[in-house]
Amino acid sequence: QVQLVESGGGLVQSGGSLRLSCATSGIIFRLYTMNWYRQAPGKQRELVATITRADNTNYADSVKGRFTISRDNAKNTVYLQMNSLKPEDTAVYYCNTQGLTNNYWGQGTQVTVSS
């Protein structure tokens, strides 16, 4: 059974930082591309950052230079370091990976940035 469990969300002031973690089980983690998505109230879920099994990364334009995705294959965990947070970063953040036939999601962690 595949499980993705996010943690690290919370309330932070504008300009602050948070580090999200996504612990995985049930997959051979080192073989999977991992993604972070977010969904703000009333908006569609959007892709924030991706890291491949070769450690190649990609970011949404809105977070480039502020967010960093990384992975620890020994811990089966992917991270999202978020710096210089803005109120528009407020959203539920989800960890995601895709298998051959399935799309796996975590339960999400709330990030709220106050102005």
Side-chain angles (χ1 to χ4, degrees), residues 38 46-49 58-66 86:
R38 67 185 180 186
E46 63 169 344
L47 179 61
V48 174
N58 197 32
Y59 299 92
D61 288 343
S62 57
V63 307
K64 278 181 182 176
R66 300 188 298 121
K86 304 175 181 180

Side-chain angles (χ1 to χ4, degrees), residues 2 26-27 32 96-105:
V2 178
I27 59 172
Y32 282 74
N96 163 267
T97 191
Q98 298 175 13
L100 290 177
T101 57
N102 292 295
N103 202 6
Y104 302 108
W105 296 92

Side-chain angles (χ1 to χ4, degrees), residues 22 53 95:
C22 172
R53 63 183 188 179
C95 181

Side-chain angles (χ1 to χ4, degrees), residues 24-89:
T24 74
S25 60
I27 59 172
I28 304 174
F29 179 77
R30 60 182 173 83
L31 299 181
Y32 282 74
T33 290
M34 300 300 300
N35 306 302
W36 283 100
Y37 283 77
R38 67 185 180 186
Q39 188 166 20
K43 294 189 176 181
Q44 287 190 329
R45 194 170 294 190
E46 63 169 344
L47 179 61
V48 174
T50 295
I51 185 165
T52 70
R53 63 183 188 179
D55 282 344
N56 295 314
T57 59
N58 197 32
Y59 299 92
D61 288 343
S62 57
V63 307
K64 278 181 182 176
R66 300 188 298 121
F67 289 12
T68 302
I69 189 171
S70 62
R71 65 192 300 157
D72 186 335
N73 290 338
K75 295 182 178 179
N76 296 332
T77 300
V78 61
Y79 304 97
L80 186 67
Q81 177 67 43
M82 306 185 295
N83 298 329
S84 302
L85 283 161
K86 304 175 181 180
E88 50 264 44
D89 295 318

